[in-house]
């Protein structure tokens, strides 16, 4: 429960950061991508599902690498809600193979109104997912 509330705090407390990536693509070793029957990196997929597990899922497409949550209202801030979309863009376990987008709304006099997402929210979620994916990979190689 602490972990869920920590991630929820990240969603509501951090600002949104746009990150650019290099267009040059280094070669990845086979161990960096776990080839499976899904169309994307399985470590990133599992880590994304685990990280967003506290939110209701609206859509999951493992072949296309898309996870869309439904609106989530943190019980500690009932006048705000968030919706997150994770896109996994590659079979390699790389930072630029993951994209997180978030929407935020606030309740004003009974109506949900779009509000800006604070700058580091998506960057922090990406960092959490990438760290978890790397941990899953390490565990599978060691075990």
């Amino acid at each position: 429960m602490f972990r869920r509330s920590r991630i929820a705090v990240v969603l509501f407390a951090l600002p949104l950061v746009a990150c650019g990536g290099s267009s040059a693509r280094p070669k990845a070793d086979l161990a960096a991508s776990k080839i499976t029957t899904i169309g994307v990196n399985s470590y990133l997929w599992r880590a994304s599902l685990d990280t967003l597990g506290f939110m209701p899922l609206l859509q999951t497409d493992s072949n296309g690498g898309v996870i869309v949550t439904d609106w989530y209202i943190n019980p500690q801030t009932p006048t705000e809600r968030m919706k997150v979309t994770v896109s996994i863009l590659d079979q390699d376990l790389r930072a630029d193979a993951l994209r997180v987008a978030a929407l935020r709304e606030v309740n004003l006099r009974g109506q949900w109104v779009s509000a800006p997402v604070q700058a580091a929210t998506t960057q922090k979620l990406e960092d959490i997912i990438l760290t978890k994916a790397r941990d899953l990979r390490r565990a599978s190689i060691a075990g």
Side-chain angles (χ1 to χ4, degrees):
M1 189 63 175
F2 172 73
R3 186 179 191 130
R4 287 182 180 180
S5 62
R6 187 177 83 193
I7 293 172
V9 168
V10 166
L11 285 173
F12 289 102
L14 296 175
L16 175 66
V17 175
C19 10
S22 168
S23 61
R25 188 166 175 199
K27 299 281 185 205
D29 62 68
L30 188 55
S33 68
K34 184 174 181 179
I35 306 302
T36 63
T37 59
I38 67 174
V40 295
N41 183 276
S42 63
Y43 302 120
L44 287 172
W45 181 256
R46 182 78 248 157
S48 298
L49 288 174
D50 289 351
T51 300
L52 299 176
F54 69 96
M55 300 179 83
L57 297 179
L58 192 61
Q59 173 189 356
T60 58
D61 176 6
S62 61
N63 287 319
V66 177
I67 300 169
V68 180
T69 71
D70 203 352
W71 291 104
Y72 171 76
I73 300 173
N74 182 340
Q76 296 176 353
T77 55
T79 59
E80 293 182 54
R81 66 183 185 175
M82 295 285 293
K83 185 174 192 169
V84 176
T85 300
V86 173
S87 301
I88 301 169
L89 308 170
D90 203 327
Q91 285 203 352
D92 294 334
L93 176 51
R94 304 163 32 89
D96 63 355
L98 179 69
R99 182 174 302 133
V100 175
L103 297 173
R104 177 176 167 252
E105 291 184 345
V106 294
N107 194 325
L108 297 175
R109 295 179 295 280
Q111 294 290 329
W112 290 106
V113 178
S114 291
V117 176
Q118 297 181 10
T121 301
T122 56
Q123 181 64 47
K124 185 65 176 170
L125 278 171
E126 286 177 0
D127 291 345
I128 291 168
I129 292 168
L130 286 166
T131 299
K132 181 178 272 302
R134 289 179 187 122
D135 291 345
L136 290 169
R137 178 178 176 259
R138 278 189 212 108
S140 74
I141 291 172

